[in-house]
Amino acid sequence: MSKERKIIILENGPYLVEGNIPLAEKINVLEGRRLHKFIDGRLLPQAETYRLCRCGHTTTPPFCDGSHVAINFDGTETASTASYRERAKALEGPNLTMLDDNRCALSKFCHRKKGTAWSLTLSSNYEDCREEAIHAASDCPTGRLVALDEAGNEIENSYEPSIDIMQEPLVGVSGGIFVKGGIPLFSESGKIYQVRNRYVLCRCGKSYNKPFCDAIHISAGYLDQKPVKEKKGLFRKKK
Ligand code: FES
């Protein structure tokens, strides 16, 4: 019988994933000029239990190979354990409220053809803008943005519990770990973070908001595959 689905952060080590959670690679691409979407990447092995690298130094990405010990990885968790509603600020549009906790992976799903999640919320008296604002908020992998319906309920995409390893070829780097479908996350001390439908974990090891991604993988130039540019043609050459 499968164990309960969960992710446990090991002290200065990897994420221990239990419960036979499907694992995939997803590549963030542009559809048109401003609309982002994920397409399937490489097939990854599936297992009842596995360990995902958290330090960014593994030679067997996305899995841990023990490199965290050799590099003396400091994985101290610095993120707030307050709930999303406690941390988020509300943007009130004419026909939509959107919450924003500023926890960003710079994946740009908040950018739509007609505008950004914020500008669309402020134009939500137009039904097409309201619909686009809801997509812009609910497609954001980090869960930073959440649109609320008239009753104040969160509008969320429906996800099966699963984990996606993100690749960001548009900016020439690898991204974080997109966790979907309400998978509980336990800190190294055993505390549980608020269970959410979507969040992104850091795997470059450099986030200032561990365990969550704060987009520093972009300025750090984090790449999990070498030489991915030659092998897959996914990544732009750096100037
Ligand atoms: S993977 Fe995004 S900050 Fe580390």
Side-chain angles (χ1 to χ4, degrees):
M1 203 175 88
S2 216
K3 287 185 179 171
E4 198 182 322
R5 288 189 195 105
K6 61 183 163 199
I7 299 173
I8 303 161
I9 298 168
L10 301 185
E11 188 176 0
N12 298 325
Y15 302 106
L16 172 62
V17 181
E18 294 183 343
N20 209 15
I21 299 173
L23 180 67
E25 182 181 65
K26 296 285 174 183
I27 301 169
N28 182 357
V29 297
L30 272 177
E31 185 181 47
R33 210 161 61 83
R34 296 195 69 189
L35 194 60
H36 288 254
K37 69 169 187 179
F38 282 125
I39 60 169
D40 291 339
R42 296 166 302 168
L43 291 177
L44 296 174
Q46 309 297 305
E48 161 68 32
T49 299
Y50 49 93
R51 291 171 183 237
L52 293 175
C53 173
R54 189 161 76 97
C55 73
H57 281 74
T58 182
T59 57
T60 57
F63 303 104
C64 170
D65 70 351
S67 292
H68 56 275
V69 177
I71 65 157
N72 207 14
F73 175 57
D74 178 1
T76 305
E77 291 167 60
T78 47
S80 167
T81 51
S83 72
Y84 176 75
R85 291 281 183 130
E86 287 171 311
R87 290 182 290 103
K89 293 200 168 73
L91 175 65
E92 303 284 351
N95 277 335
L96 189 72
T97 299
M98 187 182 73
L99 303 179
D100 179 356
D101 75 351
N102 216 21
R103 195 173 273 178
C104 182
L106 276 179
S107 293
K108 301 272 182 83
F109 282 78
C110 51
H111 291 238
R112 307 284 296 182
K113 284 181 179 156
K114 289 176 187 287
T116 66
W118 299 268
S119 65
L120 291 163
T121 298
L122 293 174
S123 304
S124 55
N125 45 324
Y126 300 99
E127 189 50 32
D128 57 340
C129 291
R130 184 178 180 277
E131 286 300 311
E132 285 286 287
I134 290 170
H135 281 297
S138 52
D139 290 353
C140 160
T142 61
R144 165 182 176 168
L145 303 173
V146 175
L148 302 180
D149 67 16
E150 294 74 8
N153 299 312
E154 300 183 1
I155 304 172
E156 284 287 332
N157 293 335
S158 172
Y159 291 125
E160 287 298 314
S162 55
I163 294 178
D164 291 340
I165 301 299
M166 293 164 65
Q167 299 289 357
E168 302 282 359
L170 297 167
V171 284
V173 300
S174 298
I177 301 170
F178 182 15
V179 182
K180 300 182 285 190
I183 299 171
L185 174 67
F186 290 85
S187 75
E188 63 187 29
S189 64
K191 275 190 304 196
I192 185 168
Y193 287 91
Q194 182 189 13
V195 176
R196 298 197 67 206
N197 186 39
R198 49 196 162 110
Y199 56 92
V200 175
L201 295 171
C202 172
R203 69 185 179 109
C204 73
K206 294 194 162 31
S207 172
Y208 288 102
N209 195 37
K210 289 186 181 71
F212 301 104
C213 171
D214 68 356
I216 204 164
H217 57 267
I218 298 175
S219 55
Y222 170 62
L223 264 180
D224 69 357
Q225 307 167 58
K226 292 181 189 131
V228 70
K229 284 179 248 181
E230 291 77 8
K231 201 167 72 180
K232 293 281 241 178
L234 286 176
F235 291 88
R236 280 184 188 162
K237 286 211 163 57
K238 283 211 168 132
K239 294 194 178 139

